[in-house]
Amino acid sequence: MAHQSYVLKVSCPDRIGIVSRVSTFLASKQCMIKEANHHADAILGKFFMRNEISDMQMSPEEFETEFKTIADEFEMQWSLSPRIQKKRVIIMVSKQDHCLYDLLYRWKSGEMDYEIPCVISNHLDLKSLVEWHGIPYVHIPVTPDNKPQAFAEVVKWVEHYEADTIVLARYMQIIPPELCEKYPGQIINIHHSFLPSFIGAKPYHQAFERGVKLIGATCHYVTQDLDAGPIIEQEVRRVTHSESAEEMVVLGKDVEKNALARGLKFHLEDRVLLSGNKTIVFA
Amino acid sequence: MAHQSYVLKVSCPDRIGIVSRVSTFLASKQCMIKEANHHADAILGKFFMRNEISDMQMSPEEFETEFKTIADEFEMQWSLSPRIQKKRVIIMVSKQDHCLYDLLYRWKSGEMDYEIPCVISNHLDLKSLVEWHGIPYVHIPVTPDNKPQAFAEVVKWVEHYEADTIVLARYMQIIPPELCEKYPGQIINIHHSFLPSFIGAKPYHQAFERGVKLIGATCHYVTQDLDAGPIIEQEVRRVTHSESAEEMVVLGKDVEKNALARGLKFHLEDRVLLSGNKTIVFA
Amino acid sequence: MAHQSYVLKVSCPDRIGIVSRVSTFLASKQCMIKEANHHADAILGKFFMRNEISDMQMSPEEFETEFKTIADEFEMQWSLSPRIQKKRVIIMVSKQDHCLYDLLYRWKSGEMDYEIPCVISNHLDLKSLVEWHGIPYVHIPVTPDNKPQAFAEVVKWVEHYEADTIVLARYMQIIPPELCEKYPGQIINIHHSFLPSFIGAKPYHQAFERGVKLIGATCHYVTQDLDAGPIIEQEVRRVTHSESAEEMVVLGKDVEKNALARGLKFHLEDRVLLSGNKTIVFA
Amino acid sequence: MAHQSYVLKVSCPDRIGIVSRVSTFLASKQCMIKEANHHADAILGKFFMRNEISDMQMSPEEFETEFKTIADEFEMQWSLSPRIQKKRVIIMVSKQDHCLYDLLYRWKSGEMDYEIPCVISNHLDLKSLVEWHGIPYVHIPVTPDNKPQAFAEVVKWVEHYEADTIVLARYMQIIPPELCEKYPGQIINIHHSFLPSFIGAKPYHQAFERGVKLIGATCHYVTQDLDAGPIIEQEVRRVTHSESAEEMVVLGKDVEKNALARGLKFHLEDRVLLSGNKTIVFA
């Protein structure tokens, strides 16, 4: 495990000396800091830090033992993630394929560095595409009657594959509250509007009705409040009077896949820290 | 009045032959069409057209008399605006000066072609700036008690100067419903959010609370429904976790002045047609 | 062939009466104009027009016969393309797959309406991907010695499949002058820089060396002058000092595929007219 | 001088322990780090750092004395700038006023925090505007014959006002090599193209000829190589076939003033570090 690259994420009450103690600790262990980001939230009085360490010469267990003193002293919430150990991301889809296609490409090309242990869908439409990529396709139909069992099966697969992230790539079912609670900061959704505008169903049709001149998409963590979780990334594009609601749906596909890909990339590289219902993104 | 440039705007029920009749009429009068734009709204069954005519060799009155037959036949709503006769725009402000500064520059430089017969404000802060530009500054204080009288005075000045457009350049008072009705499609507001997100007061603080990753501004016609009138133009810019609500207010100034300038320019060039609560912008 | 949608493209010397004659002709044939665009080039004295006609009730042959009088009178260059008859686009690739993946998705999803009779490559790397989509993969190796034969074979396939467009989707070979001449306005390339900056090889490395703050991509028609043909579409994205040349290569992939997709879409919908070494794009 | 905000900029050969030593030093002096940015250039083997320190409780002289040991040990180039001591920026203009207007507004509104001891121009056109803002206007005519004397006078005023930055806000004269050498990293120019495209005169006309679909502007430090100095910021906007070269000139004004304002803001906040002919911008 030695000589590897790690990301250390820290959040704690703000005070003098945090960077000093952490960086001195890292230097004493011969850790080279490849990239560092700080954020002090003056309103909350909190400090957030991300250090990307190259060439660490101790095991995560040793690190934890030795870092614990500092972490306790500064009341830190912290995590250490090895870059070499790719995140395991289960993608959930319904019938729409644009986000899935895009995520599969970015995975296959190595442009984004993660594993897809399986794709879960309530439909069979995208089975062939997924399997061509050599990825198992798990079909879990969802009906008004079987929702609890269906999502229990989802949990079973998440546990089976030891997934740490679930991406809802235009999965059209509402996630039950228990799941949202079970995986905080681990379920990522792409909503097809510029939130908080046009929450809920058919956002492009809402946008068309209102006559907006830009349409957008929002990549956010899922919480129990529908479309109201912490926003990771947003994108927009210009539209005009000449686009129908249906044409906006098509144009929006590019916006959605770009916002999702960017948001997921930040998540995969441990660049996102949660601060209440907001995110700090060390892009 | 001959040999001038005019804009002809038309809207009517859609059917075959509109363009043919109008363009044949224009050609028969030796009118060169410099720019033409069409839009057919399939849902409403309506047709919208803008023709920019260079070198017209008849007076507006002659045009009206001769064009009337076609207009009646096709049940057209239409207008003919000479480009040489600049629109007369009264700008209303409170204390904030960024949009005013920008509009004054674009006026003074000739970048945008319009007259500013006066600036009306409920404060005195911007008097010197306006008067340096050689423009009268009308001070109309507004208190909870004098609103009807104050806005009666606004109307008086609009009539006195024969203004055809009122721009609310961060004017912080709500316009009374009677005025909105009196000047439909003639009052332009800049709202400091990406509508319909963050209607009402302190939109940047609302945006900060929600943790959005883009802030925006919306240029729209004023109607009786607060911040809900037809949208002419919208702009956004990226923000991050590191911006406070106060910093967003400052960053937003550029977005506001750009959205307002673009929206007003479309209006001045007769590029905006109203279609219910939406706009058609022949940009 | 009746009751279909067609695009009529026209360019001719500018004078009064063109729109009138064309639109009156179309109205007399009961053609509904769904979308119309004009452009008058004051410097060249030329007029350009695109009409999208829905519900045409005559055959293209009848149209041609009847329209000829007008076309001759106004010295028009013109074309009439049925929307139902999809363009046949041969995609040429080497080893890089991001543009190909994107074009295949937009084809498969119907988001862009065209046929891909085959993909031609000088390598075998992308064979499986292409064939999974049910498209023939033609492998034509290119060496310093066999270039004339190799490109003769390309021509053979273009003719065999009656292709009307060739897309170089990061095809790394220079197209011989004879081919450029043979297919003017029919070969589309994506160059991985914001032309005319960084012509030639390794543009991202050139961009990195120069320290630019935006990288770009250019979709253009291929002519005999390397990277100097008429530009159809360009896109950029922001980079910072923290990106290496290699990271720019990865970030640029999104820019390239978006610029190519947008440019190709304009071409497929007959929205691009050539005017010397420039394009008129009725977007 | 105590209890103030400072920016510490450092560049040095990269090695383990830099952040540790600097941050431990700062913490030992009770300096709160409000914002920190790092960049390690793997190719050059160099490390760059910016620390914004709030509430420093020692004088700059004490700081210098004590910091010297660390600076020497790590072979640092470094500077410490008090935020309270505004940069003194001389703006040079010819006849065009859009950038000047914009910079005056951002100065007057306090949106950008700097002093303008005087504006220097080779023409008298903008005298009234500048003087209305209460800023001295220095008129230094430039002819083919008097260039050495004219620029000697510029230097005189720079020294007289102890200016630390010169902004060429569309100043149409080429700066003599001696001046470029005398003020490295202190003269900022706005070039009206997306460099390295369209170097030299009439870039919008060059852009028009080439038929590009985006026009741009580049804010850069001036060096002896015309339009080839380190780039600080770049912006672009979309254009179409319908814009003439003259219209591009007008549209470009917004791009120029935005790129210049952003670039200058980075410079004023000590966010720009030079690295050869490139910049590191800790935005």
Side-chain angles (χ1 to χ4, degrees), chain D residues 203-222:
Chain D
Y204 291 118
H205 291 75
Q206 295 181 53
F208 176 80
E209 284 306 320
R210 182 60 188 91
V212 292
K213 300 300 184 188
L214 296 165
I215 55 170
T218 304
C219 176
H220 65 97
Y221 288 119
V222 173

Side-chain angles (χ1 to χ4, degrees), chain A residues 15-281:
Chain A
R15 60 190 237 213
I16 286 173
I18 304 168
V19 176
S20 164
R21 283 295 295 279
V22 172
S23 60
T24 301
F25 172 78
L26 294 176
S28 74
K29 301 301 177 191
Q30 300 300 312
C31 295
M32 194 84 175
I33 299 175
K34 201 185 151 201
E35 189 183 332
N37 302 92
H38 303 164
H39 174 61
D41 185 317
I43 295 172
L44 301 177
K46 284 195 76 177
F47 183 78
F48 302 84
M49 183 166 57
R50 177 188 185 272
N51 285 288
E52 194 165 330
I53 302 157
S54 57
D55 200 24
M56 186 149 94
Q57 300 182 27
M58 60 202 298
S59 73
E61 293 73 26
E62 287 174 88
F63 186 97
E64 178 161 2
T65 311
E66 303 218 21
F67 191 67
K68 201 177 176 309
T69 323
I70 299 173
D72 287 351
E73 182 190 336
F74 288 86
E75 299 169 71
M76 289 174 174
Q77 288 184 286
W78 68 282
S79 68
L80 183 77
S81 306
R83 293 299 305 269
I84 209 175
Q85 190 181 304
K86 300 177 182 183
K87 289 216 192 309
R88 301 173 65 77
V89 179
I90 288 181
I91 300 174
M92 296 182 73
V93 291
S94 289
K95 294 182 170 188
Q96 294 210 47
D97 57 357
H98 55 288
C99 288
L100 178 64
Y101 230 92
D102 187 67
L103 292 178
L104 288 173
Y105 171 71
R106 294 183 199 271
W107 164 80
K108 184 166 175 293
S109 66
E111 187 182 308
M112 277 165 52
D113 204 24
Y114 66 117
E115 287 179 20
I116 308 175
C118 74
V119 170
I120 296 176
S121 179
N122 53 337
H123 294 282
L124 285 165
D125 305 57
L126 305 176
K127 191 171 194 291
S128 157
L129 173 69
V130 169
E131 292 183 347
W132 181 81
H133 284 85
I135 295 168
Y137 191 83
V138 178
H139 180 221
I140 306 179
V142 179
T143 65
D145 297 333
N146 82 340
K147 273 200 95 169
Q149 300 93 300
F151 281 98
E153 203 180 332
V154 170
V155 171
K156 203 194 69 189
W157 286 107
V158 173
E159 289 173 354
H160 172 76
Y161 282 120
E162 296 177 352
D164 38 45
T165 305
I166 300 167
V167 167
L168 310 179
R170 300 300 312 276
Y171 181 70
M172 305 304 279
Q173 301 291 323
I174 292 174
I175 304 300
E178 315 83 68
L179 235 80
C180 301
E181 260 181 78
K182 192 179 175 72
Y183 302 115
Q186 293 176 270
I187 310 179
I188 292 174
N189 184 44
I190 180 71
H191 182 74
H192 39 321
S193 86
F194 184 74
L195 289 175
S197 287
F198 313 132
I199 285 170
K202 294 209 159 239
Y204 291 117
H205 290 75
Q206 294 183 51
F208 176 81
E209 285 305 320
R210 181 61 188 90
V212 293
K213 299 300 184 187
L214 296 164
I215 54 170
T218 303
C219 175
H220 66 96
Y221 288 118
V222 173
T223 61
Q224 295 187 43
D225 296 325
L226 184 67
D227 299 335
I231 294 169
I232 308 170
E233 179 61 315
Q234 298 187 292
E235 298 232 349
V236 292
R237 65 155 287 163
R238 211 161 268 281
V239 290
T240 75
H241 59 268
S242 70
E243 267 89 45
S244 66
E246 289 69 30
E247 285 165 333
M248 285 185 187
V249 168
V250 175
L251 292 172
K253 286 161 62 176
D254 279 350
V255 188
E256 293 164 35
K257 64 196 193 196
N258 287 335
L260 177 55
R262 287 172 57 93
L264 179 57
K265 191 162 198 288
F266 293 144
H267 175 87
L268 295 177
E269 297 177 358
D270 289 297
R271 295 181 179 279
V272 190
L273 287 82
L274 280 169
S275 173
N277 199 44
K278 303 206 285 188
T279 62
I280 289 144
V281 180

